[in-house]
Amino acid sequence: FFFLMIRRPPRSTQSRSSAASDVYKRQVHGEMTSYMWILILNLVLWAAAADETIRISLKKRKAILPLKYDRSGFSRANDGLELNEIYTIPLTNFANTEYYGEIEVGTPPQILTVVYDTGSTLLWLPLVECGSDCHTSNRFDRTLSNSVKLYPERQKKLEYGEGKIFGFFAEDVIGLKNSPIRVKLPFLLVHKDIDFSGLASDGIMGLSPDDKFPTFIDKAFEANQIKSSIFSFKFSSKSRDSFLYIGEIPKSFEKIEFLDIISPFYWMVRLNKVEFNKKTIRISAKEVLFDTGTSFIILPSGFFELFMKSLPHQFCQERICLCQNDLEKHYPNITFYFDGMKISLTPNDYLINPTVVNVMPLTYACLVAVSKNKFDFVILGDPIFRQRGIVFDKVKKKIGIEAPELVPHISYIGYCIIQAISLASW
């Protein structure tokens, strides 16, 4: 298959700067590497049986030259641009497991790519000096920026279950191409990372709601460079047509229904119940995190085991399943109930077919984009963003869901009573 990058639980959380979804950073090793080889073996066997030829296409990334900026850090070409209602940032789809876009860093600007990550707080980028100590990527050259400020005494380590990054804080001008948005932002310059070889982007830009760590969008709003701090995402299974929208809700979105977030640090909402094919599942998880930085749907361990048992075992080997259209009726829908609405994930949403993005042009097998964690909450990663637009409103502390199915709303106390009755009769 391709290099899958799925975040894993951390050994420890060092501070609030490691947001809830810092429990998962996209990586290549351990469990996912074994699934990669299982998938390749199965595809070879199935293709041989069908007497077809396997073709694996590889794509190179194009280098983009920096634009000319003056020493102030702001392009004179930007002076004539008016303040728009909304800015649209195209995202690159890497194998349906990572969506990343470009940013400009420094003066003159250097073009780097980041995952715009709603599940973490900090922007971090690799240094040129990192060499072989960092994953293969473009790097930030601090010697080429005349606006950078370095704070090497402020060292920082972020530790994950199977990955770590080491760096120090800096501040420089961060901008978006073809827009007047350019702000000074603190970020982490990484001089070493471990087990991040599967990351397709150069770095990660955190977009959590934590007020202690203002994001790029917060800074742009404070500087009156955008009319609103609202931002939203909508992904696609195609190599193109995935976007981050900043400043307003896109008019192309269907009716938006909003949920209150229940944490000052994470884009997390209350979960009322879960169903598999309209059958209520007994789980203890009561929160859901919406995270653009996680490749899969992440379930608590017990919940995950129930889901795996619901898969048709005659079509699946571990997390590799046949995914031809006539077989999809055998796979369960997963329905998540929130306050006044529900969202259902179908097999089309959680079965990743690599042929869609031309990574491996075969149609026999799919990877089940559902994994597990040791924590007691659900993470809705990339599959939910491919299904519908999701809006993030930091000022009002709300998440907007595009076109959910509305259900009768009950109070939280009423919900607890129903849960108690359900558990007593289990």
Side-chain angles (χ1 to χ4, degrees), residues 150-169:
L150 305 176
Y151 305 97
E153 72 281 1
R154 295 182 59 193
Q155 295 286 323
K156 181 73 174 178
K157 177 178 75 171
L158 297 179
E159 185 172 352
Y160 309 96
E162 293 187 6
K164 303 175 184 178
I165 59 172
F166 303 83
F168 60 87
F169 279 95

Side-chain angles (χ1 to χ4, degrees), residues 31-98:
E31 172 193 10
M32 296 317 303
T33 303
S34 64
Y35 284 125
M36 178 182 70
W37 290 112
I38 292 172
L39 178 57
I40 291 175
L41 178 60
N42 279 276
L43 288 172
V44 171
L45 294 175
W46 282 326
D51 194 25
E52 294 186 7
T53 301
I54 298 176
R55 297 180 176 86
I56 300 177
S57 60
L58 302 177
K59 297 176 69 175
K60 291 184 178 180
R61 296 170 61 183
K62 296 181 179 179
I64 302 176
L65 298 178
L67 303 176
K68 293 184 178 180
Y69 278 68
D70 62 27
R71 292 183 63 84
S72 67
F74 294 86
S75 168
R76 292 174 182 173
N78 284 344
D79 294 342
L81 293 178
E82 297 181 356
L83 196 62
N84 292 343
E85 292 285 345
I86 187 169
Y87 293 94
T88 302
I89 295 90
L91 304 177
T92 297
N93 175 6
F94 177 75
N96 280 344
T97 60
E98 182 178 339

Side-chain angles (χ1 to χ4, degrees), residues 170-206:
E171 183 182 72
D172 209 342
V173 178
I174 308 295
L176 295 178
K177 291 176 61 178
N178 304 318
S179 85
I181 303 177
R182 287 181 67 77
V183 299
K184 288 192 174 181
L185 186 72
F187 61 97
L188 195 63
L189 284 175
V190 173
H191 51 73
K192 182 178 182 179
D193 67 39
I194 299 175
D195 289 343
F196 271 90
S197 57
L199 190 67
S201 66
D202 303 321
I204 292 176
M205 176 180 279

Side-chain angles (χ1 to χ4, degrees), residues 357-370:
V357 286
N358 297 321
V359 178
M360 183 178 288
L362 291 170
T363 59
Y364 295 104
C366 281
L367 180 69
V368 179
V370 181

